[in-house]
């Protein structure tokens, strides 16, 4: 929304309804302070349903608009209908809407009478948002945790012919790749190209630019992985550092891009979604810190054990060294943390997807 002529029908106690005229400069709202140009207003509030009607002059100049512009109803405009709470005042005023506005399918003629149909958020936009949330929050986040902290876990087990951590990491990242590629295509179809920069759409532009960077980084990592040197070769460390750096950068930028996207007017999710995603980020950082501490403590204990002086009279052949053939001591703690993290990630993804579907 932006530069809109807004007329609000507001419940005013009991069954009465008042009319308010305001203007949206960008993403905020400013009351016009006057109902000049309107007439024949009537309204009612019954069983939670507001009904109102009024007449408006064809030509009306916004008193609050910086550059004078006539909202001339001889021209056709889109119709947006939204609902939300009111600000407690006398008379009450409009607050930010809590649902995505229903938008008329095309521009309409306000001088004629007829039924107007429309829809809320475009399904292509919702699909884009859901895929990015599933890919980057659900799949990539868990895949990163597996790769960083679970290589020593399940040393004697294999899944699909590979180490357990690698199978989960690769499978989840492939799912993430599919999600963000399809989501990337969907948003270009929805927008019809790239978002041009303007003051009224600067956040859209930033979101789009960051999305392109994230997609480029997300494609770079699997390409690098396809040509990675074998473990133990001279150049393997270069790949390890590059894979880590690109993966970390893409994940951080992706989460930041999701934050911006959830607050865009086109999607217009409730504020609770931002807080839920913030809680996920905090938990992610906390889980990584705890896993890092567990890893460091285990390595320190292993170093101390390796420097212990063997008891005299004990044949070293009688000592069973199962350090590499059994789960490390921190295995149980790591598995518990992983279970908590995966469950919370699933809950967050489901909550955000349901919110996108409802709003």
């Amino acid at each position: 929304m932006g530069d809109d002529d807004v007329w609000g029908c507001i419940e005013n106690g009991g069954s009465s309804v008042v009319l308010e005229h305001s203007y949206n400069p960008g993403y905020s709202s400013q009351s016009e302070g006057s109902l000049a140009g309107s007439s024949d207003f009537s309204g009612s509030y019954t069983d939670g349903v507001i009904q109102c009607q009024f007449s408006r002059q064809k030509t009306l100049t916004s008193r609050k608009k910086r550059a004078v512009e006539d909202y001339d109803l001889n021209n056709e405009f889109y119709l947006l209908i939204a609902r939300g709470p009111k600000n407690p005042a006398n008379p009450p005023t409009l607050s930010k809407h809590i649902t995505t506005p229903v938008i008329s399918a095309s521009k309409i003629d306000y001088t004629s009478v007829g039924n107007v149909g429309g829809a809320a958020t475009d399904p292509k936009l919702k699909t884009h948002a859901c895929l990015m949330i599933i890919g980057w929050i659900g799949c990539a986040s868990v895949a990163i945790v597996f790769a960083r902290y679970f290589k020593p876990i399940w040393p004697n087990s294999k899944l699909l012919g590979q180490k357990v951590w690698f199978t989960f990491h690769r499978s989840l990242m492939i799912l993430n790749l599919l999600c963000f590629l399809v989501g990337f295509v969907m948003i270009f179809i929805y927008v019809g190209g790239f978002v041009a920069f303007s003051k009224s759409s600067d956040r859209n532009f930033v979101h789009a630019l960051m999305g392109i960077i994230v997609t480029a980084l997300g494609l770079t990592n699997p390409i690098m992985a396809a040509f990675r040197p074998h473990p133990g070769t001279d150049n393997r460390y270069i790949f390890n550092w590059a894979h880590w750096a690109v993966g970390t950068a893409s994940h951080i930028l992706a989460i930041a891009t999701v934050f911006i996207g959830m607050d865009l007017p086109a999607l217009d999710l409730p504020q609770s979604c931002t807080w839920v995603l913030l809680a996920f980020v905090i938990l992610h950082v906390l889980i990584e810190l705890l896993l890092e501490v567990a890893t460091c403590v285990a390595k320190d204990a292993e170093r101390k054990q390796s420097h212990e002086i063997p008891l005299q009279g004990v044949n070293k052949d009688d000592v069973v060294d199962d350090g590499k053939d059994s789960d490390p001591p921190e295995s149980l703690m790591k598995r518990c943390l992983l279970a908590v993290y995966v469950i919370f990630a699933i809950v967050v993804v489901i909550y955000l997807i349901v919110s996108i579907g409802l709003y």
Side-chain angles (χ1 to χ4, degrees), residues 183-194 212:
F184 188 77
V185 172
M186 293 296 291
I187 198 62
F188 264 82
I189 295 174
Y190 167 74
V191 175
F194 189 75
I212 291 174

Side-chain angles (χ1 to χ4, degrees), residues 157-213:
S157 301
K158 287 187 180 295
L159 184 61
L160 301 179
Q162 298 287 344
K163 292 182 178 180
V164 175
W165 76 266
F166 182 76
T167 298
F168 275 110
H169 175 73
R170 182 175 60 182
S171 300
L172 289 169
M173 291 310 295
I174 289 175
L175 287 175
N176 176 47
L177 177 67
L178 295 174
C179 284
F180 75 69
L181 284 180
V182 176
F184 188 77
V185 172
M186 293 296 291
I187 198 62
F188 264 82
I189 295 174
Y190 167 74
V191 175
F194 189 75
V195 177
F197 177 78
S198 66
K199 280 189 175 182
S200 62
S201 63
D202 52 353
R203 285 189 295 174
N204 290 319
F205 179 81
V206 170
H207 177 76
L209 183 60
M210 290 178 65
I212 291 174
I213 295 172

Side-chain angles (χ1 to χ4, degrees), residues 307-345:
H307 287 85
E308 288 181 355
I309 300 175
L311 296 175
Q312 292 183 355
V314 176
N315 190 333
K316 65 179 181 179
D317 294 332
D318 296 333
V319 179
V320 178
D321 182 13
D322 60 352
K324 294 185 179 180
D325 296 326
S326 59
D327 278 350
E330 75 277 14
S331 174
L332 179 60
M333 178 182 177
K334 283 188 173 182
R335 292 181 187 183
C336 292
L337 290 173
L338 177 65
V340 171
Y341 181 72
V342 170
I343 292 172
F344 192 79

Side-chain angles (χ1 to χ4, degrees), residues 268-318:
D268 202 31
L269 293 174
Q271 193 68 27
S272 59
C273 290
T274 301
W275 291 111
V276 168
L277 183 56
L278 180 61
F280 170 77
V281 172
I282 293 173
L283 180 71
H284 179 90
V285 173
L286 180 61
I287 290 292
E288 285 218 31
L289 287 174
L290 292 174
L291 290 170
E292 194 67 46
V293 169
T295 301
C296 292
V297 170
K299 287 182 178 179
D300 185 61
E302 186 178 347
R303 281 195 299 267
K304 290 180 179 179
Q305 185 177 8
S306 64
H307 287 85
E308 288 181 355
I309 300 175
L311 296 175
Q312 292 183 355
V314 176
N315 190 333
K316 65 179 181 179
D317 294 332
D318 296 333

